[in-house]
Amino acid sequence: MQNVDGSKCVDDINEVWLKSSEILKEKLKPQIYSAFIKPLSISKSKNNSLNSFEIITPNKFYREHLEKNYHEIISKVISDVRGESNFSLTFKIKEQQEGDSNNKRVSYSRTTKIKKNFNKLNTSNNNRKPVNFTKDNSNLNNDYNFSNYIIGSCNQFAHAASLKVSENPGKTYNPLFIYGGVGLGKTHLVNAIGNASKRRGKKVLLVSSEVFVNELIDSLRTKNMQQFKNKFRSIDLLIIDDVQFISGKERTQEEFFHTFNDLHQRSKQIVITSDRIPKDLTGLEERLKTRFSSGLLADLQTPDFETRVAILNKKAEKLDILIPQEVSNFLAEKIDTNIRELEGALNRIQAMSSLSNSPVSIDLAKSAISSLIPIKKSSEITIESIQQAVASNFNVSISDLLGKRRTQNIAQARHVAMYLCRKLTGRSFPEIGAVFGGRDHSTAIHACKKLEESLIENKNLRHKISSIENSI
Ligand code: ADP
Ligand code: MG
């Protein structure tokens, strides 16, 4: 058979599709092609009719969208390639294969994102929404809720306690004291408590301890203490965020102590966040430390890899961006101590992707985060830089690391340093032993093995090591 222009017709359906998709690639915008055409395949219809074909799509959303918007162009291209327009084309959903349940989940979440992303491609307004604060006086951020808080082993306990408190303010754990490092979700969680309690009709007030301090100073200056007292004592739930900032401020602590007692005696709920446990809050009166510890202490740990990926996916959905799984894995691997940084990376990726009008890829992600986190090649990491980073993190000197002293802290720092040298520079055990005060290779092997064993059990150590790695 020949085409009208004399060229030979293509009969093999797979070859037809290969050629057709090449043409579609040229005709369509790159992001449309890679989002909608690339995932497709073709087959002959089951009814064995020679002129009936099926385009196989990943799921219902694709099928509907393609049918509605791309049927015509795909048919036209196929008919050009085949040199023959007498055929029927239908869109089918790919049948799930056994063991495909994971794919099913992934493709579902990708679909919603593709859908949103596609809608976004068709609208020019990519501006981010401003932070969504309530119009009342509670100072709550409406965007922070339990429904968008991802639970992992790192925050399970704090989340459960928060939920309980929001269901029954003042009746269960009072005060609830949530502590953890920067960007681990304290503010999100306490806003979630506040929003949920507010929905139950409770009067809520959230203030950072800095605001508390400033309002107190203002009230003292304007001699309006009664108003200050009324404001903080007339509520059902008081949330003080980042209480560590009242350390060393005696007058504030005095006032806070009375506010605390007043609310507590009347079974009003108090929720406090801090970057550390009460007993480590230097500059805080003993009586406040005792009060803070009298309810429930709940900590937030660094999220594990799976939780980081889940948080990323949730945030990407909110930002309406499509991020392929390999990109979320890459980001979650590289940014492992602070969720705020993870979010920052995502915002940057979104901006770069939309400015360059290209879909999110690993390369784009790499360049987006290169200024946030320099991705060092292993050749750039030296033994000296590792020793330096470990020494400063463990608060020991380099000569302690290389010397003979074996206090628990020094011995652990030495093991960590040897382990990181092995992991990050790939140097041999004899070399590592030699640069640690001329030790034998068996000492280096023992150190690495012992450390790997401790890492399985010891979450804090895992956290410590990843923050050292990030600082090198
Ligand atoms: P912190 O107050 O501990 O410094 P934030 O509550 O401000 O941290 O969290 C930083 C960012 O990370 C916020 O945008 C928050 O929504 C997000 N985040 C933290 N933990 C989670 C989580 N478990 N699920 C979803 N988002 C989270
Ligand atoms: Mg915070």
Side-chain angles (χ1 to χ4, degrees):
M1 223 196 313
Q2 288 213 320
N3 281 338
V4 247
D5 62 2
S7 63
K8 201 171 168 297
C9 281
V10 183
D11 267 328
D12 177 336
I13 189 60
N14 290 319
E15 209 184 327
V16 167
W17 181 242
L18 212 66
K19 294 208 159 145
S20 305
S21 56
E22 268 167 26
I23 297 171
L24 288 164
K25 191 175 181 179
E26 278 163 21
K27 286 188 185 284
L28 298 169
K29 283 191 183 160
Q31 61 269 48
I32 300 287
Y33 173 80
S34 51
F36 290 102
I37 306 297
K38 218 168 149 203
L40 308 178
S41 57
I42 201 165
S43 74
K44 288 219 162 91
S45 290
K46 294 250 159 57
N47 64 14
N48 260 342
S49 151
L50 274 180
N51 279 336
S52 176
F53 305 110
E54 292 172 352
I55 297 280
I56 314 297
T57 68
N59 54 43
K60 187 162 167 263
F61 164 66
Y62 273 90
R63 196 197 62 201
E64 286 172 3
H65 189 72
L66 286 155
E67 234 160 30
K68 196 162 151 220
N69 300 288
Y70 294 99
H71 191 282
E72 201 182 333
I73 184 169
I74 294 176
S75 302
K76 166 88 173 63
V77 170
I78 291 179
S79 105
D80 285 352
V81 171
R82 292 187 75 233
E84 133 99 86
S85 59
N86 185 18
F87 62 93
S88 78
L89 190 67
T90 49
F91 291 85
K92 281 264 150 58
I93 299 172
K94 182 178 173 213
E95 281 165 22
Q96 286 288 326
Q97 313 229 313
E98 253 181 90
D100 246 355
S101 57
N102 279 344
N103 292 345
K104 202 168 168 185
R105 250 185 65 209
V106 171
S107 63
Y108 170 72
S109 64
R110 279 175 60 90
T111 306
T112 40
K113 278 174 236 152
I114 289 170
K115 193 171 189 172
K116 288 179 177 173
N117 199 43
F118 181 76
N119 291 339
K120 205 182 76 176
L121 289 172
N122 287 329
T123 59
S124 56
N125 186 359
N126 288 339
N127 292 341
R128 291 198 60 198
K129 279 191 232 131
V131 178
N132 193 3
F133 287 103
T134 44
K135 290 204 183 62
D136 64 16
N137 294 325
S138 64
N139 296 329
L140 292 169
N141 181 341
N142 283 343
D143 285 337
Y144 289 159
N145 287 296
F146 285 120
S147 57
N148 56 8
Y149 194 77
I150 304 286
I151 306 161
S153 55
C154 55
N155 57 26
Q156 204 165 21
F157 181 67
H159 173 267
S162 300
L163 206 57
K164 195 107 192 141
V165 161
S166 74
E167 284 163 1
N168 242 331
K171 301 281 184 318
T172 45
Y173 312 119
N174 203 10
L176 173 62
F177 189 98
I178 297 173
Y179 66 97
V182 176
L184 294 186
K186 301 183 291 298
T187 299
H188 186 139
L189 202 49
V190 293
N191 271 280
I193 299 177
N195 284 318
S197 307
K198 204 174 76 177
R199 281 194 286 275
R200 294 192 157 82
K202 302 289 177 190
K203 201 167 166 210
V204 183
L205 177 63
L206 180 147
V207 282
S208 70
S209 64
E210 279 163 316
V211 169
F212 189 85
V213 174
N214 291 341
E215 294 208 4
L216 176 66
I217 293 171
D218 265 3
S219 310
L220 290 170
R221 193 172 47 80
T222 56
K223 301 197 169 44
N224 227 339
M225 272 310 285
Q226 200 50 47
Q227 204 181 338
F228 176 88
K229 285 192 167 113
N230 291 346
K231 174 173 174 180
F232 285 94
R233 296 181 191 186
S234 64
I235 47 182
D236 302 309
L237 164 60
L238 174 64
I239 303 169
I240 301 280
D241 202 9
D242 286 326
V243 84
Q244 67 272 11
F245 295 120
I246 67 168
S247 287
K249 301 190 173 77
E250 284 156 27
R251 182 69 179 86
T252 310
Q253 291 189 26
E254 167 88 24
E255 196 50 48
F256 187 58
F257 180 72
H258 294 305
T259 308
F260 184 102
N261 285 344
D262 180 83
L263 290 171
H264 198 263
Q265 273 159 15
R266 292 186 294 113
S267 295
K268 302 297 180 189
Q269 180 72 44
I270 301 146
V271 175
I272 300 164
T273 75
S274 164
D275 64 350
R276 65 203 93 153
I277 200 161
K279 76 173 175 47
D280 292 343
L281 285 165
T282 42
L284 191 75
E285 289 177 19
E286 275 310 314
R287 58 181 183 168
L288 272 177
K289 287 188 193 176
T290 317
R291 293 285 188 289
F292 290 174
S293 310
S294 66
L296 185 74
L297 302 181
D299 67 328
L300 291 176
Q301 298 278 341
T302 319
D304 56 27
F305 176 74
E306 285 77 14
T307 313
R308 295 198 296 277
V309 170
I311 292 175
L312 260 176
N313 287 341
K314 190 95 191 161
K315 299 281 175 193
E317 208 174 296
K318 175 115 207 294
L319 287 175
D320 283 359
I321 56 168
L322 167 67
I323 53 168
Q325 200 62 43
E326 58 166 357
V327 173
S328 15
N329 290 354
F330 167 77
L331 291 175
E333 225 166 69
K334 291 291 169 207
I335 306 175
D336 57 1
T337 49
N338 182 331
I339 301 166
R340 199 173 295 135
E341 278 181 5
L342 211 52
E343 251 187 296
L346 204 57
N347 289 336
R348 237 179 117 75
I349 287 171
Q350 185 206 27
M352 286 178 68
S353 158
S354 104
L355 290 174
S356 63
N357 208 14
S358 49
V360 175
S361 63
I362 275 278
D363 285 340
L364 188 125
K366 274 186 186 159
S367 55
I369 69 165
S370 64
S371 58
L372 297 173
I373 293 161
I375 303 165
K376 288 193 183 158
K377 296 192 196 86
S378 58
S379 61
E380 291 168 10
I381 298 176
T382 62
I383 286 183
E384 288 71 30
S385 62
I386 294 172
Q387 289 174 336
Q388 194 66 55
V390 174
S392 86
N393 190 287
F394 277 81
N395 218 1
V396 300
S397 66
I398 298 273
S399 51
D400 281 336
L401 279 186
L402 311 188
K404 299 258 178 290
R405 284 176 64 204
R406 294 176 54 105
T407 65
Q408 203 189 356
N409 187 41
I410 294 178
Q412 194 178 46
R414 200 176 286 137
H415 286 172
V416 167
M418 288 185 177
Y419 164 84
L420 285 176
C421 285
R422 177 75 184 160
K423 180 178 168 195
L424 301 176
T425 68
R427 303 283 272 273
S428 70
F429 288 119
E431 279 177 296
I432 294 173
V435 292
F436 278 82
R439 288 178 156 81
D440 189 65
H441 76 281
S442 59
T443 312
I445 294 174
H446 171 73
C448 293
K449 198 160 158 255
K450 192 145 191 287
L451 199 96
E452 273 164 15
E453 280 165 12
S454 322
L455 282 180
I456 298 169
E457 304 270 276
N458 191 336
K459 211 170 177 178
N460 287 340
L461 186 61
R462 284 207 298 272
H463 181 199
K464 197 166 178 146
I465 288 185
S466 51
S467 72
I468 296 173
E469 278 187 51
N470 282 340
S471 73
I472 295 170

